[in-house]
Structure formats: structure tokens, C-alpha cells
Amino acid sequence: MATDTQQLTRPAVRVSGLVRRFGDRTVLDSLDLDIAPGQFVALLGRSGSGKSTLLRALAGLDYDVAGSGSIEVPGRVSVVFQDSRLLPWQRVLDNVLLGLGGRDAADRGRAALAEVGLAGRERAWPVELSGGEQQRAALARSLVREPELLLADEPFGALDALTRIRMHGLLRELCQRHGPAVLLVTHDVDEAIVLADRVLVLVDGRIAVDQPIDLPQPRSHRDPRFLEYRYQLLTALGVEEEITV
Amino acid sequence: MTDVLAPPQAALQAALQAPVTVAPRRRRLGLGRPIPYGRVLGPLLILGVWLAASAAGLLDPRVLPAPWTVADTVSRLVEAGTLQDSLAVSLGRAALGFTFGALAGVSLALAAGLSRLGEALVDGWLQVQRAVPTLGLIPLMILWLGIGEAFKVVIIALVVAVTLYVQTYAGLTSIDSRYVELAETVGLSRSRFIRAVVLPGALPGLFVGLRLAVTSSWISLVVLEQINATSGIGYLMFQAQNYAQTDVIVVGLIVYGLFGFISDAALRFVERRVLSWRRTLSS
């Protein structure tokens, strides 16, 4: 069924023959990838496997990098970084509205902050927010632009485990409501299975595993099928440990 | 056994139920609570020692006159109008030089920090100019401009401009590349990028420059007025030296000190207001 919809609608992202090199090292080796509109894709890989290189290529942030291939992305792309990257000298609302114009921008910014649970913190300085709150403000900044593609580079990597679980729920909910295609780069297999419609594993510069996750939301870590996916993905990542069920 | 254990337990219960007031803790490695009017304490201490030493007759008045002698001298100079006139002249020079210097320094830093052409044209010679002590230019400036007011204002302006340029340029060019990336992903135009990211990010550097520049403008003023002036606080002190009037020299020093202190405090105040988004160790 997924292939049917992919054939009917134009993909949100189409990458073909993408090559990226740093010196002698080929990080992305003739990589092909389609992402359907509204599809939530998680990208796994060991560190140095080129996950971030692919994301930065899609975000248009890879200057002075040698390579070839073609990339098609939608017009409205938002990026969430591992750090919240809020400008410390602007209040939270101004950070959310960075670069936006128009009369209703402030209202949309307030609505986006309310959506991520930061209503009433519009006038706060970024240093006054906790790490989780800062990252939520960064999410609001991305979503207020109504992106067709949301690129997230380990957005919860710096957060503690409890905050991360709460952020998973929030991200999932926001993506269902706004419906952007998502490419989430992560090193956390569980995070990928909990959130994504489809999990990719990047090995040696190519997509080695392309696994649709066919589990209803909300997903339980104790679901045997969850564990099955987990085992399969960890194996693809080269983790040899015994996984007890 | 239970009897022995009971009293401590009861005590524990009581302790747990007793309202506990916890004093707000300070950052352990911070500097602690700021002392109210702490910055005045040091000068007051010195004044106290000075008073005590003079009263005890430990100080030769020819070396350092007593504080009350200095106070007498101040009122005498004020009555004669000498102090106000000298002060007005000195302040006028400092203010004029500082204003021109600040305008030039910040404009040059903006030109060099915001465009490659400006960088190529401006930065090279300002780094050279920075290596030449500006006070070393005094002989040349006197030949060019004479020993009037213009040369004094130009020297002060040069000192201020170079100091401000170095700090502001460093602030403008050291913007965190992560913020540049962010600005690109949210599609900021160049002018909005400069207004929202570059200029606010360079403000801390500008304030460091302003405070250094105020100090160096006072230093230049002292030098200029003691070598080549016929008016101003420095001239007053120079004359006093000829007549061995230690008390007048001390008055001049106090005036210089007070104005240095006040101008720095004023800048700190403005800095705290403008950079209120920062939370640093000293706050």
C-alpha cells in the first residue's frame, strides 16, 4: 500500500546517486532515497556513517564538500539541530519568529509556542529555559514555518531520558497534526522504532536496511514485534550482543 | 532496646515536622553575594589610612598633604573658579575626542567586519596603526595641526578609535558559525541576518571596547595636558609641580580618578541594561 501512494504522489524528497567525499574518504556512496509526503523516516547509523552528512546535504548546508548527485527537496524545509540554537539575545517568541514577516506572524508564533507547551514563556530569555524547554522552543521555531520537510539531527541527543520520552510523544503528535515529511537522524534504535513509519540504516555510505515499521501508535517497548525490529536493526548496525527478550 | 531507640526517633520525627527554613544557596564556585556599594569600599579604606597617617603626623605635607589641606585647596580652587574652568576644558576635550573616536572606530569596524572589501581596505592598516603607540604620534600631530585644541582631540580620537575598532571587529567576526547555519536554514536575508544575529552578537565586544576606550581616553588626556597645554586639569597639575604645590597635584589626581571611576560605572550600568540576556558569573 505504501508503494501505491508513493507512485501516485510525487515524493517530498528524491535523492539519487548522491556522493559526498571528505578527502579520500567516501562518506556517501551513490545513495538513493525517496521520502513520501508526510512520511516519518528515521535514519540510523554508527557514528561517522554519514547520517549527518546526508541531512546537511538535504538542508543545503554542505558547502565546500566534494560530491555529485541530485537532490530534490520541497520549498519549505525546517531544520532542528541537536542544540536548540536559540539566539541568546532574543526572547523566546522572537526566536520562534526569526526571519518571519507578516501581520499574523506573532499570533502564529504564540500558537506554536502554546502547541509545544510553552505558552506564557514568550518573553523569557533562552538562558531561563531548561534544556527540554529550549528544544521545544526550537521545535516551535521549525513548525511555525509549516514545513513540508522537517530535518532533525539528533534533536533529543542532549536531553535526559525522561525528557526525551516526553519529547517523543510531542514530536509524534506535532508531526501528525502538521504532516511534514520527516527525516530524523538518530543513534537510538528505540527512538527510531517508537517514532518512525520507516527506519533506514546507513552502512558504508549506502542505505543497507529500509524497514517499514508496521506497529500501531502508541508503541510499546514490550511488544514482541518491537523487540523483533530492535534485534534486526541492531544486527544491521553490527551490534553483536545477546538481546534477551 | 526499644526504650533506648525511642528518644532519637522521636527527636527525628520532631525534626522532620519542624518547619525548616532553608536559606537560598549561592553558587559554590561563584563570587558570592555582591557587597552593597562594594566598589566604594576600597577607595574609602585608602582615604581612612590617609586620614589616620596625616592626623598621626606620619606624613610630611611636602610629600603628601593631609586630606583636610586638600579639601581646603578644593574650596579655594572652586572659589577662584580655576577648578571648574579646568574641569570644563578637560571634559570637553575628552568628550569631543571620545565622540569622534567612537564614531570612527565603530564605523571602521562595521565596514571591515561586514564586507570583504572593507576588511581588505581597513583591517590591514588599522592592525599596523594598532602596533604604533598612538601617543608616539604626538610630535607628528603637533607639526601637522599645531599645539591647539585640534591636535589634542585628534590624538584622543585616534586612541579611542583604535581600541574600539579592535574589540568591535573581533566581536563582529567571531559570530558562532552555528548561528550562521541557523540563519541560513530559516532563510534570513543578509540585512536581517546582520540585524538579528551579527550586530547583537558583537555587542559584548563593543562594550569591552567602550570601557577600554574610556580608560585610554583619560590616559591620553593626562599626557596631552601635561606636555602641551595652557588649560585643563593636567595643566593645573603641571603648574603646581613648578611651584611645589603637592595639594593641587593631589586634587588633580582625585579629579582624574573620580571621572575615570564615574565613566566606567556609567558604562557598566548601560552594559547591564543592554546585555540583560546574559547570565554571567559576576551577576
Side-chain angles (χ1 to χ4, degrees), chain B residues 157-202:
Chain B
L158 273 175
V159 170
V160 168
V162 171
T163 313
L164 257 181
Y165 170 83
V166 171
Q167 299 296 333
T168 312
Y169 176 70
L172 285 169
T173 48
S174 60
I175 296 292
D176 195 330
S177 66
R178 297 175 313 131
Y179 296 141
V180 183
E181 264 183 22
L182 170 72
E184 283 176 344
T185 61
V186 300
L188 286 193
S189 67
R190 186 159 180 80
S191 66
R192 263 187 119 158
F193 169 63
I194 288 170
R195 272 182 290 136
V197 181
V198 179
L199 296 183

mmCIF file of all heavy atoms in Angstrom, chain B residues 157-202:
data_model
loop_
_atom_site.group_PDB
_atom_site.id
_atom_site.type_symbol
_atom_site.label_atom_id
_atom_site.label_comp_id
_atom_site.label_asym_id
_atom_site.label_seq_id
_atom_site.Cartn_x
_atom_site.Cartn_y
_atom_site.Cartn_z
ATOM 1 N N ALA B 157 40.900 60.975 19.903
ATOM 2 C CA ALA B 157 40.020 60.266 18.980
ATOM 3 C C ALA B 157 40.725 59.049 18.394
ATOM 4 O O ALA B 157 40.128 57.975 18.257
ATOM 5 C CB ALA B 157 39.553 61.200 17.865
ATOM 6 N N LEU B 158 42.010 59.202 18.053
ATOM 7 C CA LEU B 158 42.757 58.077 17.483
ATOM 8 C C LEU B 158 42.861 56.923 18.477
ATOM 9 O O LEU B 158 42.620 55.760 18.129
ATOM 10 C CB LEU B 158 44.170 58.531 17.084
ATOM 11 C CG LEU B 158 44.322 59.126 15.686
ATOM 12 C CD1 LEU B 158 45.748 59.642 15.495
ATOM 13 C CD2 LEU B 158 44.015 58.058 14.643
ATOM 14 N N VAL B 159 43.209 57.279 19.721
ATOM 15 C CA VAL B 159 43.345 56.235 20.741
ATOM 16 C C VAL B 159 42.018 55.491 20.897
ATOM 17 O O VAL B 159 41.965 54.251 20.902
ATOM 18 C CB VAL B 159 43.782 56.867 22.087
ATOM 19 C CG1 VAL B 159 43.683 55.841 23.198
ATOM 20 C CG2 VAL B 159 45.182 57.410 21.980
ATOM 21 N N VAL B 160 40.933 56.260 21.018
ATOM 22 C CA VAL B 160 39.611 55.663 21.212
ATOM 23 C C VAL B 160 39.219 54.817 19.992
ATOM 24 O O VAL B 160 38.737 53.695 20.118
ATOM 25 C CB VAL B 160 38.563 56.772 21.473
ATOM 26 C CG1 VAL B 160 37.157 56.216 21.393
ATOM 27 C CG2 VAL B 160 38.810 57.409 22.820
ATOM 28 N N ALA B 161 39.458 55.350 18.806
ATOM 29 C CA ALA B 161 39.051 54.661 17.585
ATOM 30 C C ALA B 161 39.747 53.313 17.456
ATOM 31 O O ALA B 161 39.114 52.296 17.158
ATOM 32 C CB ALA B 161 39.332 55.526 16.358
ATOM 33 N N VAL B 162 41.063 53.292 17.699
ATOM 34 C CA VAL B 162 41.803 52.033 17.537
ATOM 35 C C VAL B 162 41.326 50.992 18.559
ATOM 36 O O VAL B 162 41.055 49.844 18.216
ATOM 37 C CB VAL B 162 43.325 52.275 17.665
ATOM 38 C CG1 VAL B 162 44.070 50.969 17.715
ATOM 39 C CG2 VAL B 162 43.807 53.106 16.492
ATOM 40 N N THR B 163 41.178 51.429 19.819
ATOM 41 C CA THR B 163 40.723 50.493 20.854
ATOM 42 C C THR B 163 39.356 49.919 20.503
ATOM 43 O O THR B 163 39.128 48.703 20.557
ATOM 44 C CB THR B 163 40.623 51.231 22.210
ATOM 45 O OG1 THR B 163 41.802 51.990 22.399
ATOM 46 C CG2 THR B 163 40.444 50.255 23.335
ATOM 47 N N LEU B 164 38.428 50.795 20.136
ATOM 48 C CA LEU B 164 37.079 50.352 19.833
ATOM 49 C C LEU B 164 37.054 49.482 18.584
ATOM 50 O O LEU B 164 36.338 48.487 18.514
ATOM 51 C CB LEU B 164 36.177 51.569 19.598
ATOM 52 C CG LEU B 164 35.258 51.933 20.740
ATOM 53 C CD1 LEU B 164 34.428 53.124 20.354
ATOM 54 C CD2 LEU B 164 34.366 50.768 21.107
ATOM 55 N N TYR B 165 37.852 49.858 17.604
ATOM 56 C CA TYR B 165 37.885 49.092 16.359
ATOM 57 C C TYR B 165 38.284 47.656 16.639
ATOM 58 O O TYR B 165 37.617 46.718 16.208
ATOM 59 C CB TYR B 165 38.871 49.716 15.363
ATOM 60 C CG TYR B 165 39.106 48.822 14.168
ATOM 61 C CD1 TYR B 165 38.209 48.829 13.105
ATOM 62 C CD2 TYR B 165 40.164 47.924 14.133
ATOM 63 C CE1 TYR B 165 38.386 47.968 12.032
ATOM 64 C CE2 TYR B 165 40.344 47.068 13.067
ATOM 65 C CZ TYR B 165 39.446 47.098 12.018
ATOM 66 O OH TYR B 165 39.600 46.238 10.974
ATOM 67 N N VAL B 166 39.387 47.474 17.383
ATOM 68 C CA VAL B 166 39.911 46.123 17.614
ATOM 69 C C VAL B 166 38.850 45.241 18.270
ATOM 70 O O VAL B 166 38.575 44.125 17.816
ATOM 71 C CB VAL B 166 41.190 46.199 18.479
ATOM 72 C CG1 VAL B 166 41.615 44.811 18.912
ATOM 73 C CG2 VAL B 166 42.300 46.876 17.715
ATOM 74 N N GLN B 167 38.201 45.759 19.319
ATOM 75 C CA GLN B 167 37.229 44.934 20.051
ATOM 76 C C GLN B 167 35.969 44.682 19.226
ATOM 77 O O GLN B 167 35.431 43.576 19.200
ATOM 78 C CB GLN B 167 36.850 45.611 21.373
ATOM 79 C CG GLN B 167 38.024 45.823 22.310
ATOM 80 C CD GLN B 167 38.636 44.516 22.762
ATOM 81 O OE1 GLN B 167 37.973 43.482 22.820
ATOM 82 N NE2 GLN B 167 39.921 44.547 23.056
ATOM 83 N N THR B 168 35.468 45.731 18.560
ATOM 84 C CA THR B 168 34.222 45.570 17.817
ATOM 85 C C THR B 168 34.418 44.659 16.607
ATOM 86 O O THR B 168 33.581 43.806 16.307
ATOM 87 C CB THR B 168 33.698 46.947 17.361
ATOM 88 O OG1 THR B 168 33.725 47.827 18.472
ATOM 89 C CG2 THR B 168 32.280 46.842 16.842
ATOM 90 N N TYR B 169 35.543 44.835 15.926
ATOM 91 C CA TYR B 169 35.835 43.987 14.771
ATOM 92 C C TYR B 169 35.938 42.521 15.203
ATOM 93 O O TYR B 169 35.374 41.634 14.560
ATOM 94 C CB TYR B 169 37.133 44.451 14.105
ATOM 95 C CG TYR B 169 37.582 43.591 12.952
ATOM 96 C CD1 TYR B 169 36.869 43.579 11.756
ATOM 97 C CD2 TYR B 169 38.705 42.776 13.062
ATOM 98 C CE1 TYR B 169 37.280 42.785 10.695
ATOM 99 C CE2 TYR B 169 39.118 41.983 12.012
ATOM 100 C CZ TYR B 169 38.402 41.990 10.825
ATOM 101 O OH TYR B 169 38.796 41.197 9.791
ATOM 102 N N ALA B 170 36.615 42.290 16.331
ATOM 103 C CA ALA B 170 36.725 40.918 16.836
ATOM 104 C C ALA B 170 35.329 40.367 17.138
ATOM 105 O O ALA B 170 35.024 39.214 16.826
ATOM 106 C CB ALA B 170 37.601 40.884 18.089
ATOM 107 N N GLY B 171 34.470 41.212 17.736
ATOM 108 C CA GLY B 171 33.116 40.761 18.038
ATOM 109 C C GLY B 171 32.330 40.419 16.784
ATOM 110 O O GLY B 171 31.625 39.409 16.726
ATOM 111 N N LEU B 172 32.484 41.250 15.765
ATOM 112 C CA LEU B 172 31.721 41.042 14.530
ATOM 113 C C LEU B 172 32.175 39.790 13.786
ATOM 114 O O LEU B 172 31.367 39.106 13.152
ATOM 115 C CB LEU B 172 31.887 42.254 13.603
ATOM 116 C CG LEU B 172 31.120 43.511 13.981
ATOM 117 C CD1 LEU B 172 31.593 44.680 13.136
ATOM 118 C CD2 LEU B 172 29.632 43.309 13.798
ATOM 119 N N THR B 173 33.471 39.496 13.828
ATOM 120 C CA THR B 173 33.972 38.388 13.017
ATOM 121 C C THR B 173 34.001 37.072 13.784
ATOM 122 O O THR B 173 34.333 36.053 13.204
ATOM 123 C CB THR B 173 35.403 38.688 12.511
ATOM 124 O OG1 THR B 173 36.178 39.132 13.609
ATOM 125 C CG2 THR B 173 35.369 39.746 11.431
ATOM 126 N N SER B 174 33.649 37.107 15.071
ATOM 127 C CA SER B 174 33.688 35.844 15.809
ATOM 128 C C SER B 174 32.287 35.325 16.117
ATOM 129 O O SER B 174 32.075 34.632 17.098
ATOM 130 C CB SER B 174 34.485 36.017 17.103
ATOM 131 O OG SER B 174 33.868 36.990 17.904
ATOM 132 N N ILE B 175 31.326 35.682 15.266
ATOM 133 C CA ILE B 175 29.975 35.158 15.444
ATOM 134 C C ILE B 175 30.012 33.635 15.282
ATOM 135 O O ILE B 175 30.609 33.115 14.348
ATOM 136 C CB ILE B 175 29.025 35.761 14.379
ATOM 137 C CG1 ILE B 175 28.906 37.264 14.565
ATOM 138 C CG2 ILE B 175 27.659 35.098 14.427
ATOM 139 C CD1 ILE B 175 28.208 37.687 15.808
ATOM 140 N N ASP B 176 29.372 32.939 16.201
ATOM 141 C CA ASP B 176 29.334 31.483 16.203
ATOM 142 C C ASP B 176 28.773 30.963 14.869
ATOM 143 O O ASP B 176 27.693 31.363 14.440
ATOM 144 C CB ASP B 176 28.420 31.046 17.359
ATOM 145 C CG ASP B 176 28.599 29.586 17.677
ATOM 146 O OD1 ASP B 176 28.925 28.818 16.760
ATOM 147 O OD2 ASP B 176 28.413 29.235 18.851
ATOM 148 N N SER B 177 29.533 30.061 14.223
ATOM 149 C CA SER B 177 29.087 29.579 12.899
ATOM 150 C C SER B 177 27.770 28.815 13.002
ATOM 151 O O SER B 177 27.039 28.697 12.017
ATOM 152 C CB SER B 177 30.163 28.691 12.291
ATOM 153 O OG SER B 177 30.297 27.524 13.072
ATOM 154 N N ARG B 178 27.436 28.322 14.200
ATOM 155 C CA ARG B 178 26.152 27.623 14.344
ATOM 156 C C ARG B 178 24.986 28.586 14.083
ATOM 157 O O ARG B 178 23.962 28.206 13.545
ATOM 158 C CB ARG B 178 26.025 27.020 15.743
ATOM 159 C CG ARG B 178 27.083 25.961 16.035
ATOM 160 C CD ARG B 178 26.989 25.491 17.471
ATOM 161 N NE ARG B 178 26.874 26.617 18.374
ATOM 162 C CZ ARG B 178 25.962 26.705 19.329
ATOM 163 N NH1 ARG B 178 25.116 25.732 19.525
ATOM 164 N NH2 ARG B 178 25.908 27.759 20.091
ATOM 165 N N TYR B 179 25.177 29.836 14.513
ATOM 166 C CA TYR B 179 24.101 30.806 14.291
ATOM 167 C C TYR B 179 23.999 31.190 12.814
ATOM 168 O O TYR B 179 22.922 31.524 12.334
ATOM 169 C CB TYR B 179 24.311 32.046 15.164
ATOM 170 C CG TYR B 179 24.243 31.755 16.635
ATOM 171 C CD1 TYR B 179 25.095 32.368 17.541
ATOM 172 C CD2 TYR B 179 23.312 30.836 17.137
ATOM 173 C CE1 TYR B 179 25.031 32.076 18.894
ATOM 174 C CE2 TYR B 179 23.245 30.547 18.478
ATOM 175 C CZ TYR B 179 24.109 31.171 19.353
ATOM 176 O OH TYR B 179 24.042 30.881 20.695
ATOM 177 N N VAL B 180 25.147 31.141 12.132
ATOM 178 C CA VAL B 180 25.113 31.424 10.698
ATOM 179 C C VAL B 180 24.310 30.335 9.985
ATOM 180 O O VAL B 180 23.458 30.611 9.141
ATOM 181 C CB VAL B 180 26.550 31.500 10.138
ATOM 182 C CG1 VAL B 180 26.511 31.875 8.674
ATOM 183 C CG2 VAL B 180 27.384 32.496 10.928
ATOM 184 N N GLU B 181 24.556 29.091 10.381
ATOM 185 C CA GLU B 181 23.800 27.965 9.808
ATOM 186 C C GLU B 181 22.312 28.128 10.057
ATOM 187 O O GLU B 181 21.489 27.957 9.165
ATOM 188 C CB GLU B 181 24.245 26.660 10.477
ATOM 189 C CG GLU B 181 25.291 25.914 9.716
ATOM 190 C CD GLU B 181 25.617 24.594 10.399
ATOM 191 O OE1 GLU B 181 24.799 24.077 11.181
ATOM 192 O OE2 GLU B 181 26.691 24.097 10.140
ATOM 193 N N LEU B 182 21.994 28.468 11.306
ATOM 194 C CA LEU B 182 20.584 28.653 11.650
ATOM 195 C C LEU B 182 19.961 29.716 10.764
ATOM 196 O O LEU B 182 18.875 29.530 10.199
ATOM 197 C CB LEU B 182 20.460 29.073 13.117
ATOM 198 C CG LEU B 182 19.070 29.516 13.529
ATOM 199 C CD1 LEU B 182 18.143 28.318 13.603
ATOM 200 C CD2 LEU B 182 19.100 30.265 14.838
ATOM 201 N N ALA B 183 20.671 30.855 10.624
ATOM 202 C CA ALA B 183 20.145 31.954 9.824
ATOM 203 C C ALA B 183 19.894 31.487 8.392
ATOM 204 O O ALA B 183 18.928 31.896 7.746
ATOM 205 C CB ALA B 183 21.126 33.123 9.843
ATOM 206 N N GLU B 184 20.763 30.599 7.890
ATOM 207 C CA GLU B 184 20.575 30.105 6.529
ATOM 208 C C GLU B 184 19.369 29.176 6.445
ATOM 209 O O GLU B 184 18.579 29.253 5.509
ATOM 210 C CB GLU B 184 21.842 29.392 6.054
ATOM 211 C CG GLU B 184 22.910 30.407 5.676
ATOM 212 C CD GLU B 184 24.226 29.771 5.291
ATOM 213 O OE1 GLU B 184 24.435 28.591 5.594
ATOM 214 O OE2 GLU B 184 25.042 30.489 4.691
ATOM 215 N N THR B 185 19.201 28.320 7.441
ATOM 216 C CA THR B 185 18.068 27.382 7.353
ATOM 217 C C THR B 185 16.731 28.100 7.511
ATOM 218 O O THR B 185 15.733 27.628 6.975
ATOM 219 C CB THR B 185 18.164 26.262 8.400
ATOM 220 O OG1 THR B 185 18.154 26.843 9.689
ATOM 221 C CG2 THR B 185 19.408 25.444 8.235
ATOM 222 N N VAL B 186 16.684 29.195 8.254
ATOM 223 C CA VAL B 186 15.404 29.914 8.338
ATOM 224 C C VAL B 186 15.291 30.973 7.243
ATOM 225 O O VAL B 186 14.335 31.745 7.223
ATOM 226 C CB VAL B 186 15.155 30.559 9.722
ATOM 227 C CG1 VAL B 186 15.131 29.513 10.808
ATOM 228 C CG2 VAL B 186 16.170 31.632 10.014
ATOM 229 N N GLY B 187 16.265 31.010 6.349
ATOM 230 C CA GLY B 187 16.157 31.863 5.166
ATOM 231 C C GLY B 187 16.229 33.349 5.450
ATOM 232 O O GLY B 187 15.530 34.140 4.815
ATOM 233 N N LEU B 188 17.084 33.758 6.387
ATOM 234 C CA LEU B 188 17.224 35.195 6.660
ATOM 235 C C LEU B 188 17.892 35.883 5.472
ATOM 236 O O LEU B 188 18.823 35.344 4.878
ATOM 237 C CB LEU B 188 18.090 35.417 7.895
ATOM 238 C CG LEU B 188 17.503 35.109 9.263
ATOM 239 C CD1 LEU B 188 18.393 35.686 10.349
ATOM 240 C CD2 LEU B 188 16.117 35.674 9.398
ATOM 241 N N SER B 189 17.434 37.082 5.172
ATOM 242 C CA SER B 189 18.126 37.888 4.172
ATOM 243 C C SER B 189 19.403 38.429 4.802
ATOM 244 O O SER B 189 19.580 38.375 6.019
ATOM 245 C CB SER B 189 17.247 39.054 3.744
ATOM 246 O OG SER B 189 17.087 39.939 4.828
ATOM 247 N N ARG B 190 20.298 38.956 3.974
ATOM 248 C CA ARG B 190 21.573 39.424 4.506
ATOM 249 C C ARG B 190 21.384 40.552 5.524
ATOM 250 O O ARG B 190 21.992 40.558 6.590
ATOM 251 C CB ARG B 190 22.463 39.890 3.345
ATOM 252 C CG ARG B 190 23.843 40.250 3.823
ATOM 253 C CD ARG B 190 24.917 40.233 2.784
ATOM 254 N NE ARG B 190 26.159 40.608 3.451
ATOM 255 C CZ ARG B 190 26.890 39.781 4.177
ATOM 256 N NH1 ARG B 190 26.533 38.527 4.308
ATOM 257 N NH2 ARG B 190 27.983 40.193 4.774
ATOM 258 N N SER B 191 20.490 41.484 5.196
ATOM 259 C CA SER B 191 20.336 42.621 6.101
ATOM 260 C C SER B 191 19.682 42.171 7.409
ATOM 261 O O SER B 191 20.034 42.631 8.484
ATOM 262 C CB SER B 191 19.502 43.715 5.438
ATOM 263 O OG SER B 191 18.196 43.264 5.248
ATOM 264 N N ARG B 192 18.746 41.234 7.326
ATOM 265 C CA ARG B 192 18.116 40.757 8.566
ATOM 266 C C ARG B 192 19.096 39.934 9.376
ATOM 267 O O ARG B 192 19.052 39.950 10.605
ATOM 268 C CB ARG B 192 16.882 39.916 8.234
ATOM 269 C CG ARG B 192 15.620 40.732 8.320
ATOM 270 C CD ARG B 192 14.435 39.864 8.166
ATOM 271 N NE ARG B 192 13.594 39.892 9.340
ATOM 272 C CZ ARG B 192 12.306 39.569 9.293
ATOM 273 N NH1 ARG B 192 11.752 39.190 8.163
ATOM 274 N NH2 ARG B 192 11.585 39.591 10.376
ATOM 275 N N PHE B 193 19.961 39.183 8.674
ATOM 276 C CA PHE B 193 20.981 38.401 9.363
ATOM 277 C C PHE B 193 21.894 39.328 10.161
ATOM 278 O O PHE B 193 22.204 39.083 11.327
ATOM 279 C CB PHE B 193 21.783 37.605 8.322
ATOM 280 C CG PHE B 193 23.032 36.965 8.840
ATOM 281 C CD1 PHE B 193 22.964 35.991 9.827
ATOM 282 C CD2 PHE B 193 24.268 37.323 8.339
ATOM 283 C CE1 PHE B 193 24.112 35.387 10.309
ATOM 284 C CE2 PHE B 193 25.426 36.720 8.818
ATOM 285 C CZ PHE B 193 25.348 35.761 9.803
ATOM 286 N N ILE B 194 22.275 40.439 9.521
ATOM 287 C CA ILE B 194 23.153 41.385 10.212
ATOM 288 C C ILE B 194 22.449 41.991 11.423
ATOM 289 O O ILE B 194 23.009 42.082 12.505
ATOM 290 C CB ILE B 194 23.629 42.481 9.230
ATOM 291 C CG1 ILE B 194 24.631 41.875 8.253
ATOM 292 C CG2 ILE B 194 24.250 43.653 9.971
ATOM 293 C CD1 ILE B 194 24.997 42.784 7.105
ATOM 294 N N ARG B 195 21.171 42.348 11.236
ATOM 295 C CA ARG B 195 20.454 42.995 12.341
ATOM 296 C C ARG B 195 20.124 42.029 13.474
ATOM 297 O O ARG B 195 20.195 42.375 14.646
ATOM 298 C CB ARG B 195 19.165 43.648 11.829
ATOM 299 C CG ARG B 195 19.385 45.073 11.349
ATOM 300 C CD ARG B 195 18.089 45.684 10.912
ATOM 301 N NE ARG B 195 17.612 45.060 9.685
ATOM 302 C CZ ARG B 195 16.361 44.696 9.461
ATOM 303 N NH1 ARG B 195 15.445 44.899 10.386
ATOM 304 N NH2 ARG B 195 16.016 44.142 8.330
ATOM 305 N N ALA B 196 19.739 40.783 13.129
ATOM 306 C CA ALA B 196 19.272 39.868 14.158
ATOM 307 C C ALA B 196 20.393 39.044 14.780
ATOM 308 O O ALA B 196 20.281 38.608 15.920
ATOM 309 C CB ALA B 196 18.219 38.917 13.567
ATOM 310 N N VAL B 197 21.457 38.806 14.023
ATOM 311 C CA VAL B 197 22.486 37.890 14.513
ATOM 312 C C VAL B 197 23.827 38.595 14.732
ATOM 313 O O VAL B 197 24.382 38.557 15.822
ATOM 314 C CB VAL B 197 22.677 36.699 13.534
ATOM 315 C CG1 VAL B 197 23.736 35.748 14.069
ATOM 316 C CG2 VAL B 197 21.361 35.969 13.331
ATOM 317 N N VAL B 198 24.330 39.267 13.695
ATOM 318 C CA VAL B 198 25.705 39.773 13.763
ATOM 319 C C VAL B 198 25.832 40.918 14.771
ATOM 320 O O VAL B 198 26.666 40.878 15.670
ATOM 321 C CB VAL B 198 26.183 40.239 12.373
ATOM 322 C CG1 VAL B 198 27.594 40.784 12.466
ATOM 323 C CG2 VAL B 198 26.133 39.083 11.397
ATOM 324 N N LEU B 199 24.983 41.943 14.631
ATOM 325 C CA LEU B 199 25.135 43.114 15.492
ATOM 326 C C LEU B 199 24.892 42.784 16.964
ATOM 327 O O LEU B 199 25.709 43.144 17.812
ATOM 328 C CB LEU B 199 24.231 44.257 15.010
ATOM 329 C CG LEU B 199 24.584 44.799 13.619
ATOM 330 C CD1 LEU B 199 23.682 45.982 13.260
ATOM 331 C CD2 LEU B 199 26.043 45.223 13.554
ATOM 332 N N PRO B 200 23.785 42.094 17.314
ATOM 333 C CA PRO B 200 23.612 41.762 18.731
ATOM 334 C C PRO B 200 24.738 40.876 19.259
ATOM 335 O O PRO B 200 25.168 41.024 20.395
ATOM 336 C CB PRO B 200 22.278 41.011 18.799
ATOM 337 C CG PRO B 200 21.631 41.194 17.492
ATOM 338 C CD PRO B 200 22.651 41.603 16.500
ATOM 339 N N GLY B 201 25.243 39.987 18.390
ATOM 340 C CA GLY B 201 26.321 39.109 18.824
ATOM 341 C C GLY B 201 27.618 39.862 19.064
ATOM 342 O O GLY B 201 28.469 39.433 19.833
ATOM 343 N N ALA B 202 27.772 41.021 18.399
ATOM 344 C CA ALA B 202 29.007 41.792 18.544
ATOM 345 C C ALA B 202 28.928 42.792 19.687
ATOM 346 O O ALA B 202 29.928 43.397 20.054
ATOM 347 C CB ALA B 202 29.322 42.521 17.234
#
